[in-house]
Amino acid sequence: RYSTDDDTQECGPGQETFKDEEAANSDLEWLEELYEEDNDDGGGDLALGADDGNKRSYAETARMFKLRRNQDQLECFHRQKEHHVQKAREELRLCRRNVDSLLAQRMNLEKELEQQKAKDDSVAVFRLRAQHKQLCQQLQNEEELEGRIRTELRQREWELIKVEVELGKVSMLRQEVQEEEELFQTLKAQKAATRLQQERKVGQNLQHELKLLRDKQEASLRKEEMEYQKKLEEGKKYQRIAVKYLNESLKKKRAQQQAAEKEQQSQELIEK
């Protein structure tokens, strides 16, 4: 019936403390990234309002996460020790009840044994003495078990007291840790909002640049089209001038040819 600490469920993976530790580790990773960004751009995003007006260091903020994790682990450990003590007390109560029951049985058996001795019933006396011996052995075993449980209970109660003392020390820092954690979460939200705003601004700038590029390309295409139309009109104009010049040249040449023919005919007539 007697159990040890192995019977209880330890604080470990799968419980709230482990989840809280994962969350704290995630926050620490985010904090490292944030400090790297802050050092790169020289900004003041991490001015968490320390009492001396200086920017809170990474070590100070990381200490807050460590305290929070220690609190959670210590509270889980305290619940575990309380469970051990309660279980040991219940086992002691059951063992004490068994001892009392065996004592009552032994008392009744001893009375019956005296009665059978008075009757000089040797068979009954022999049987009762055997039962008495067996009962005394059971009683001895239960009393030894009771002693071990009492010793273990005192040890567990002492361990519980030590945990409660440590928990009391840590609890004094609970308000400070809570305030720092709220401050950190506020910073985290502000940083996320700032990053989102920056990403939106980058997106808007990119869209603006793309629009400018499209407008520039469209303007360039319009200019090329206008220049092409201008050259086309000039080409047509020069073509008309060339055709006109060609026609005039042909007319002039025909006129000269006709004049030459007339002069030749006149010369032929004179010669005749």
Side-chain angles (χ1 to χ4, degrees), residues 189-203:
Q190 291 175 350
K191 186 65 177 180
T194 301
R195 180 174 295 178
L196 179 61
Q197 185 177 2
Q198 291 174 346
E199 291 175 353
R200 287 178 178 174
K201 187 175 181 180
V202 169

Side-chain angles (χ1 to χ4, degrees), residues 206-222:
L206 180 60
Q207 291 179 356
H208 180 66
E209 291 176 359
L210 290 174
K211 184 177 183 302
L212 291 177
L213 180 60
R214 286 195 298 268
D215 293 344
K216 185 177 180 180
Q217 290 175 343
E218 291 175 358
S220 178
L221 289 174
R222 286 195 299 269

Side-chain angles (χ1 to χ4, degrees), residues 80-113:
Q80 174 187 323
K81 291 301 180 182
E82 277 188 330
H83 175 74
H84 290 170
V85 169
Q86 292 173 0
K87 190 169 185 178
R89 287 173 178 171
E90 178 63 20
E91 290 174 347
L92 181 61
R93 186 183 66 81
L94 293 175
C95 187
R96 183 69 254 175
R97 187 173 63 183
N98 291 336
V99 169
D100 292 340
S101 175
L102 290 173
L103 286 172
Q105 292 179 40
R106 188 180 67 175
M107 184 180 298
N108 293 333
L109 191 61
E110 288 175 349
K111 289 180 180 180
E112 186 178 357
L113 182 59

Side-chain angles (χ1 to χ4, degrees), residues 11 23 34 51 54-55 71 83 88 91 106 120 145 147 151 153 189 192 217 228 231 233 242 269:
C11 297
L34 185 61
D51 293 338
N54 296 327
K55 187 171 69 175
Q71 280 184 354
H83 175 74
E91 290 174 347
R106 188 180 67 175
D120 199 19
L145 177 60
T151 301
L153 176 59
Q217 290 175 343
Y228 172 76
K231 290 180 180 179
E233 292 296 330
L269 289 174

Side-chain angles (χ1 to χ4, degrees), residues 30-41:
W30 182 87
L31 182 65
E32 291 177 355
E33 179 183 352
L34 185 61
Y35 266 87
E36 289 176 359
E37 293 179 0
D38 192 63
N39 291 332
D40 291 340
D41 58 24

Side-chain angles (χ1 to χ4, degrees), residues 224-236:
E224 291 177 359
E225 180 67 20
M226 291 175 63
E227 290 178 352
Y228 172 76
Q229 291 295 334
K230 183 179 180 181
K231 290 180 180 179
L232 185 62
E233 292 296 330
E234 289 179 351
K236 291 180 179 180

